[in-house]
Amino acid sequence: MSVDTIGAEVVAGRRVWLCDLDGTLVDSFPAHEAAFRQAVAELVPAALPSFRYADHAGASTAEVAALLTGDRDVAARLARRKQGLYREFVAAGRVRPFPGARRLLDRLAARGRVAYLVTAGSRGSVERVLAGSSLGAGFRDVLTADDVPVSKPDPEFYGLACRRWGVDPAEAVVLEDSAHGVASAVGAGLATLHVHTAEPAPGAVAVRGLEDIVALLEDE
C-alpha cells in the first residue's frame, strides 16, 4: 500500500505530526557513520571490522556504545567521543535537510497541523542540527534521548511523547526512516509513514520522499 492510496485517510486526517530527525528530515547518516567509525577505531578497534552503523540506525548513541563494549566506562567514553565528532561534522556543514523538509514543516503549519520532534539523538547534537538546518521553528516541542529512560525501538519512546504532550494517538501520524523508529511508533499504536523507502517496515506505509507528503497536503 502506498502513501498515495491512503493519503486522505492517514495524512489529511491527522492533526498532530510526530517527526523523527536523523535520516527522516536531515541527511545525517553519513556523518553519524563516520563519527562512530572514527570513535570505534580509537577506543575499541577490535570491534571496527564487524561494525555496521546501518544495523543500529534509529538507536541512541549510548545504546549502540553499550552494545559494542562490555565495559560501562569505555562505553561512556565511546559515546562522548562519537557525539563530539558528530557535532564537529554538523558545524562543518556535513548534515543538511532532505529536499522538502522545510516545505513540509511550512505546509503543516499553514494547514493548522502541530509538529513535534521525537528523536533518539542527544539534545546537544539535536539542537546543533536544528540551528544549522533552520528547522527548529517548525516544532512546538522536542523530545530527545536525554529526556526519556528508553530508546527506540521500545514503544514507550513514542508512548512517553504522546503522554508528555497530551497527544491522542488516533489524531497523530509519525514520520520515521528506520526499522527501529517504525517499531517504536507502530508499537505505540500510531499511524506511521516510513520515508525514503520503497519497502516499509511492518505496520508502516512507504513514502519515497518528503515532497510526496507536501504534494498531498497541497492537494487538500
Side-chain angles (χ1 to χ4, degrees):
M1 186 162 52
S2 73
V3 72
D4 292 331
T5 62
I6 65 164
E9 177 184 349
V10 174
V11 174
R14 309 285 171 163
R15 181 182 62 85
V16 178
W17 289 61
L18 304 175
C19 304
D20 176 54
L21 181 65
D22 292 298
T24 299
L25 298 177
V26 297
D27 187 9
S28 57
F29 186 100
H32 275 299
E33 182 175 36
F36 248 124
R37 291 190 67 82
Q38 183 173 332
V40 170
E42 293 175 4
L43 295 170
V44 282
L48 187 60
S50 61
F51 177 73
R52 292 183 69 254
Y53 177 67
D55 294 338
H56 307 286
S60 68
T61 295
E63 183 179 37
V64 177
L67 289 172
L68 291 174
T69 75
D71 185 297
R72 182 180 299 178
D73 291 337
V74 175
R77 293 202 303 275
L78 177 62
R80 287 195 299 270
R81 179 58 175 150
K82 182 269 174 181
Q83 288 172 343
L85 288 164
Y86 177 70
R87 292 169 188 179
E88 291 177 11
F89 296 158
V90 171
R94 292 175 61 173
V95 176
R96 298 182 177 87
F98 278 115
R102 292 192 183 96
R103 278 173 25 91
L104 173 59
L105 293 175
D106 288 346
R107 182 57 56 186
L108 289 174
R111 289 290 188 266
R113 307 303 204 270
V114 178
Y116 293 98
L117 189 65
V118 184
T119 170
S122 66
R123 182 161 291 275
S125 294
V126 168
E127 288 176 346
R128 286 168 172 80
V129 171
L130 291 178
S133 63
S134 301
L135 296 178
F139 300 106
R140 178 170 292 183
D141 202 358
V142 176
L143 184 78
T144 74
D146 295 343
D147 304 316
V148 295
V150 296
S151 185
K152 302 173 185 178
D154 192 323
E156 267 298 279
F157 201 97
Y158 273 99
L160 288 166
C162 288
R163 293 196 295 275
R164 174 174 179 154
W165 297 316
V167 173
D168 180 353
E171 296 184 344
V173 61
V174 171
L175 294 187
E176 274 285 356
D177 76 298
S178 70
H180 273 47
V182 169
S184 176
V186 170
L190 292 155
T192 304
L193 302 179
H194 190 167
V195 299
H196 312 304
T197 185
E199 296 294 333
V205 176
V207 184
R208 292 187 182 276
L210 300 177
E211 292 285 7
D212 294 333
I213 305 173
V214 173
L216 285 173
L217 293 168
E218 289 178 341
D219 289 339
E220 288 184 346

